[in-house]
Amino acid sequence: MDGLTLLVLAVVGLISLVLVMGEKLASDVERFFTTWIGVFQRLRDLLGRQPPPSGHDSEDGDR
């Protein structure tokens, strides 16, 4: 094989490697953001269900 053939094969191999690793990185980033979005949504729901900070619960009423 001459030098040009080896160079073309090396470039094709490098491009393939970059594309595969880029796809894996994109998948990992997507999974990371999806996980944190879920955490923030649960936190927002939890904070939204807390009673007002007045200190009086409606269930305690006068008995």
Side-chain angles (χ1 to χ4, degrees):
M1 292 186 161
D2 61 349
L4 181 61
T5 304
L6 290 176
L7 180 63
V8 169
L9 289 174
V11 168
V12 168
L14 182 62
I15 290 172
S16 298
L17 181 65
V18 167
L19 290 176
V20 168
M21 294 306 291
E23 189 275 329
K24 183 182 179 334
L25 178 64
S27 173
D28 290 346
V29 168
E30 180 183 9
R31 188 174 338 126
F32 174 79
F33 283 123
T34 302
T35 301
W36 278 105
I37 287 171
V39 169
F40 288 131
Q41 286 175 343
R42 286 192 299 270
L43 182 61
R44 184 183 63 205
D45 292 343
L46 179 66
L47 292 175
R49 280 188 255 151
Q50 289 183 347
S54 64
H56 296 96
D57 289 337
S58 60
E59 296 175 6
D60 288 341
D62 295 329
R63 292 184 186 193

